[in-house]
Amino acid sequence: MSTSNHHGARQPSATAIGPADPKRRNVLRWSLGLSAGLMLPPLAGCGGGGDVSEVTADTLPEAPRIHARNGLIDIDLVAAYGNRSVQFAAPSQNVYPGASRSVNAYLRSYDNGLPAPTLCLNAGDTLRIRLQNRLPANDAKYSSLSFLNYQNSTNLHFHGLHVDPKEIRPGVYGDYMVDTPDAGVPPGADRQHEIALPANHANGIYWYHPHLHGSTTTQVLGGMFGAILISTPRNDFDLPDEIRERIIFVHRLNLSDKGRSDTLYDYTGNNNSGFVLNGAYQPTIVMRPGEIQNWHFLNADVFYPFNPVLDEHTLWHYARDGNAFPRQYRPVNADSVTRMDGVLWPGSAMYPGNRNSMLVQASKTPGTYYLRCAKAPSGMDPEIVARVVVEGTPVDMDLPSPHRLPLYNNYQPITDAELAQHGGKTRAVILSVLSKDSSLLAQPIPEGEEWFIPATDNSSLANFVFSTGNAGGKLATFQSALSTTQIVALNAVEEWTLYNMNGYPHPFHIHVNDCYVVKVNGEDIEPYWADTIPLAPNGTQDRPTSITFRSRFTDFTGKFVWHCHALDHEDMGMMELVEVVA
């Protein structure tokens, strides 16, 4: 399987254009209508290699990679502020080069890197991380809501991993995400994590980031995130060494004129940038004619979708959220990238938390091409996010057969019969941003509970309630005593339908157990596995849209959460507990 030849792309001229939507506060319109382990330089890669052109510099930054030794990575991870020079550009510039300016930013990050180290393990390995919080003391007075006054307390989530969510022994934690905002890891404190990957864990791309209710937004947007790349002893989809592997975090910076974004209120009032790739604005990626590379895109943005398309090329999409498609590639090109209506939703669009793994074969025609973010619901206008330069000595490479893609026993289709044999329980869950006076909420709101930001705080989020609940009941926020807890039996197989009452396609993310998505708006689709599911957009209270998935709640008991991965929505309460009981 190979792509066809292409002609070199024309380079559009740069023009002085303004931002299409510079303020994050405008987005509500969508809501409502390292010791053990081996560190290697990036190009050594978790299975990556390849030549670099001597003519054009490749400027896409790459994080250092730490490889497990003897089945173990054991590192310290330091969360702290640091100065970083960034190129800040208005979003939606569909030109190259886009107009930008250098800003001296003061941002939170891990190990003073953007992104943090990539952790490379095999299924069955153990990951030990001592999280060290070296952020400054919390400001206890910035918000009227107490749970928002811990912006420098933190914790650590292992996004997408099927691992134990509990405190596994005294003082040692798995993927523990049930801290209260005033707990977690406060400034100056440490926490020890130990993550034992099951021997049958799927290979693919995952990531780690903070997840303390009320402070997640500002910590992630500053750069507190890194990738986890899992291989398997079974060599599932073992790509040839000559195929270079790139891990590409995409997100928008959100900064004040002084290069800061310290609180949730700062975030909603500051300027958005264009997308940056591993922290770089419009970097250059160099490929040889005919070369194949393996790109893992991770959307680490707080709110916006990323919908990649490469001019005059096809991106061969083979996995979503670390889960390989069954013996097939899904082509992404100029013709297919906009196809996401109805049962095609969400197409190739990645909402916050999503990861897309794609093979790309460079044209045999040397030239300059552009990687763009195409338009998606709730996204900004198209923009050029990178320049791809094809030059040098051609290479003769063939795409690996999609028949080599792995089929995991634990990620086989969930049939009607399996669902019935394991209890057949169904749930209907609602996600909605509502006015504080909505009849869908418990009225009156219980006295003393913090459901919404008051107008006196002068925030664009004021008077909105970010709510969840079971269909047929009243909705509430996570911080309320009325919040729903979904109790699930160990080894149960369940079917959940998620209803969206807003225009924004809330990205539903559930911890520990992945989802087998089977319907969009009640219609059968070609099913797929994911851990982050953007809900069908354009729902209303009268006509909500829906997504239906099935899941196996296997291996682990304990409490964890599901939530909207638009992180300001999560911080304001669009989250619920799940408890798996034996």
Side-chain angles (χ1 to χ4, degrees):
M1 181 183 295
S2 62
T3 56
S4 59
N5 296 344
H6 299 285
H7 300 292
R10 297 178 182 175
Q11 178 172 326
S13 60
T15 59
I17 64 172
D21 187 4
K23 300 286 188 180
R24 171 60 179 84
R25 58 174 172 256
N26 291 332
V27 304
L28 271 176
R29 69 174 186 265
W30 292 309
S31 291
L32 299 177
L34 214 267
S35 30
L38 179 63
M39 180 174 283
L40 297 176
L43 296 186
C46 307
D51 295 330
V52 177
S53 168
E54 297 179 357
V55 178
T56 301
D58 191 306
T59 62
L60 176 67
E62 294 194 50
R65 300 190 177 191
I66 300 174
H67 294 249
R69 291 195 303 180
N70 301 317
L72 174 66
I73 291 178
D74 190 354
I75 61 172
D76 292 337
L77 187 70
V78 180
Y81 269 98
N83 288 103
R84 184 182 307 128
S85 179
V86 301
Q87 288 301 121
F88 193 87
S92 304
Q93 296 191 62
N94 206 21
V95 294
Y96 183 90
S100 66
R101 60 187 175 91
S102 180
V103 174
N104 183 30
Y106 191 62
L107 299 170
R108 301 173 180 92
S109 67
Y110 291 134
D111 293 354
N112 200 30
L114 180 60
T118 295
L119 309 178
C120 304
L121 304 103
N122 282 324
D125 286 352
T126 297
L127 172 61
R128 293 185 188 143
I129 296 181
R130 182 171 64 175
L131 175 64
Q132 300 179 313
N133 185 355
R134 301 301 178 258
L135 296 168
N138 289 302
D139 178 358
K141 298 181 179 178
Y142 107 86
S143 172
S144 297
L145 304 184
S146 61
F147 71 91
L148 293 182
N149 288 327
Y150 300 92
Q151 297 292 291
N152 286 326
S153 292
T154 192
N155 60 13
L156 189 60
H157 171 44
F158 302 88
H159 185 124
L161 296 187
H162 179 65
V163 293
D164 199 324
K166 299 187 295 295
E167 183 178 11
I168 57 178
R169 57 183 181 273
V172 180
Y173 295 82
D175 189 21
Y176 185 83
M177 289 297 112
V178 292
D179 296 298
T180 57
D182 59 341
V185 187
D190 300 349
R191 174 177 285 178
Q192 181 67 54
H193 289 274
E194 183 173 298
I195 304 298
L197 294 172
N200 64 345
H201 200 289
N203 65 350
I205 190 73
Y206 305 89
W207 61 305
Y208 56 94
H209 62 80
H211 203 298
L212 187 67
H213 179 51
S215 68
T216 308
T217 299
T218 52
Q219 294 180 16
V220 172
L221 73 87
M224 288 175 66
F225 49 76
I228 300 172
L229 195 55
I230 298 178
S231 302
T232 71
R234 304 180 301 272
N235 293 322
D236 297 323
F237 200 46
D238 186 23
L239 295 173
D241 288 341
E242 62 267 23
I243 293 183
R244 181 173 179 178
E245 181 173 56
R246 294 182 184 262
I247 294 171
I248 306 173
F249 278 98
V250 297
H251 79 298
R252 298 188 187 276
L253 296 169
N254 185 274
L255 300 175
S256 69
D257 292 338
K258 295 182 180 181
R260 300 188 65 137
S261 193
D262 297 312
T263 70
L264 182 64
Y265 295 176
D266 288 345
Y267 169 63
T268 57
N270 287 342
N271 291 330
N272 286 115
S273 77
F275 274 113
V276 294
L277 276 58
N278 293 346
Y281 178 62
Q282 290 188 340
T284 296
I285 298 171
V286 179
M287 300 180 70
R288 295 165 64 184
E291 180 186 2
I292 295 172
Q293 293 190 1
N294 183 20
W295 295 354
H296 301 292
F297 289 107
L298 301 93
N299 187 349
D301 195 69
V302 170
F303 182 84
Y304 288 103
F306 182 75
N307 196 13
V309 61
L310 178 58
D311 291 352
E312 303 189 42
H313 288 72
T314 293
L315 301 171
W316 298 100
H317 188 191
Y318 68 85
R320 186 193 306 272
D321 293 353
N323 299 297
F325 299 137
R327 304 292 196 249
Q328 63 175 299
Y329 295 124
R330 298 184 179 179
V332 178
N333 50 42
D335 292 331
S336 69
V337 73
T338 59
R339 298 177 189 168
M340 58 183 71
D341 291 336
V343 297
L344 297 176
W345 175 259
S348 56
M350 304 163 58
Y351 276 78
N354 277 141
R355 289 95 64 212
N356 280 353
S357 296
M358 300 175 167
L359 296 179
V360 55
Q361 183 164 34
S363 170
K364 293 183 179 179
T365 302
T368 298
Y369 305 84
Y370 295 97
L371 179 67
R372 305 177 193 264
C373 176
K375 179 70 174 176
S378 79
M380 294 184 180
D381 291 334
E383 64 182 279
I384 291 176
V385 299
R387 176 179 66 146
V388 178
V389 176
V390 178
E391 64 182 19
T393 306
V395 293
D396 188 14
M397 300 176 71
D398 291 321
L399 282 170
S401 169
H403 292 286
R404 294 175 57 186
L405 288 168
L407 288 175
Y408 301 108
N409 290 332
N410 51 329
Y411 289 138
Q412 292 293 311
I414 298 178
T415 63
D416 292 345
E418 181 183 354
L419 178 65
Q421 290 165 6
H422 290 79
K425 186 175 180 61
T426 62
R427 300 175 193 252
V429 179
I430 296 172
L431 295 77
S432 189
V433 183
L434 300 168
S435 165
K436 64 183 177 65
D437 300 319
S438 172
S439 62
L440 295 177
L441 303 172
Q443 297 291 354
I445 290 174
E447 185 176 355
E449 290 198 345
E450 300 176 324
W451 286 46
F452 58 90
I453 297 171
T456 52
D457 276 21
N458 194 29
S459 167
S460 64
L461 300 179
N463 296 325
F464 291 107
V465 176
F466 294 78
S467 64
T468 67
N470 291 330
K474 295 294 185 178
L475 307 186
T477 64
F478 180 71
Q479 58 270 16
S480 170
L482 302 180
S483 178
T484 302
T485 297
Q486 307 290 348
I487 307 296
V488 182
L490 181 65
N491 295 319
V493 178
E494 296 193 356
E495 180 175 282
W496 294 23
T497 298
L498 312 172
Y499 291 96
N500 181 13
M501 293 183 171
N502 301 133
Y504 179 70
H506 299 288
F508 170 95
H509 171 56
I510 191 167
H511 294 200
V512 182
N513 298 288
D514 278 15
C515 307
Y516 186 60
V517 185
V518 294
K519 295 179 186 288
V520 173
N521 290 326
E523 295 187 58
D524 292 341
I525 62 168
E526 183 176 2
Y528 63 90
W529 285 94
D531 59 57
T532 306
I533 311 166
L535 304 190
N538 303 320
T540 66
Q541 292 186 30
D542 295 330
R543 296 177 61 87
T545 55
S546 69
I547 293 284
T548 301
F549 71 85
R550 297 172 175 179
S551 188
R552 302 181 178 105
F553 292 85
T554 60
D555 299 327
F556 306 110
T557 59
K559 295 179 180 179
F560 51 92
V561 295
W562 72 258
H563 58 91
C564 176
H565 219 284
L567 296 182
D568 54 341
H569 296 191
E570 170 199 332
D571 279 341
M572 284 304 301
M574 193 173 283
M575 180 160 66
E576 288 185 353
L577 277 175
V578 181
E579 184 174 9
V580 177
V581 296

